[in-house]
Amino acid sequence: QVELVESGGGSVQAGDSLRLSCDASGHFTPAYGMGWFRQAPGKEREFVASISWTHGDTYYADSVKGRFTTSKDAAKNTLYLQMNNLKPEDAATYYCAANYLGAQALQALPPSSGAHFWGRGTRVTVSS
């Protein structure tokens, strides 16, 4: 079992930045893929970004490319999402996810099958 705990959400204005963190614990191994999803009210959960814990390869949704960066601190088992130039449409609950299949699978597969572990989420509000 892997436990994921997100932090760093909050309320910001358009154009501001936020950094989310996800602390992983439990039976976590470097073979996992880890990433971020988000879900706005009334919308489906969508992929945001992922990273290969072993190789560091990253993948992004087109909507966040150039603005968001995901990274990891392997020594701390912590995943980050740096979000710059936030837009009102970025407002959502952001979830940390991990899987046995790798970072590309988090991007390619539906959330229900691509991710095996989920955090509880952290809320991001962006006002215009």
Side-chain angles (χ1 to χ4, degrees):
Q1 187 68 19
V2 174
E3 292 77 44
L4 304 172
V5 179
E6 305 94 336
S7 61
S11 296
V12 298
Q13 293 190 329
D16 286 351
S17 298
L18 272 178
R19 189 176 80 158
L20 306 183
S21 299
C22 172
D23 293 317
S25 61
H27 295 111
F28 180 77
T29 75
Y32 282 55
M34 290 193 69
W36 297 93
F37 290 75
R38 67 187 182 187
Q39 188 167 18
K43 295 189 176 182
E44 293 186 351
R45 191 168 297 190
E46 63 175 2
F47 170 81
V48 175
S50 61
I51 187 167
S52 166
W53 205 256
T54 304
H55 302 293
D57 298 335
T58 55
Y59 304 87
Y60 296 95
D62 288 342
S63 59
V64 306
K65 278 182 183 177
R67 299 188 299 122
F68 290 13
T69 302
T70 191
S71 61
K72 61 182 176 70
D73 185 332
K76 297 181 179 179
N77 278 355
T78 299
L79 176 71
Y80 302 102
L81 183 67
Q82 177 67 42
M83 305 185 294
N84 297 330
N85 190 22
L86 281 160
K87 302 177 181 181
E89 53 264 40
D90 295 318
T93 298
Y94 282 72
Y95 296 92
C96 180
N99 72 6
Y100 303 112
L101 304 175
Q104 198 166 11
L106 282 172
Q107 181 189 44
L109 297 176
S112 59
S113 55
H116 299 128
F117 304 100
W118 293 97
R120 292 181 176 271
T122 185
R123 187 165 184 175
V124 173
T125 304
V126 184
S127 58
S128 57

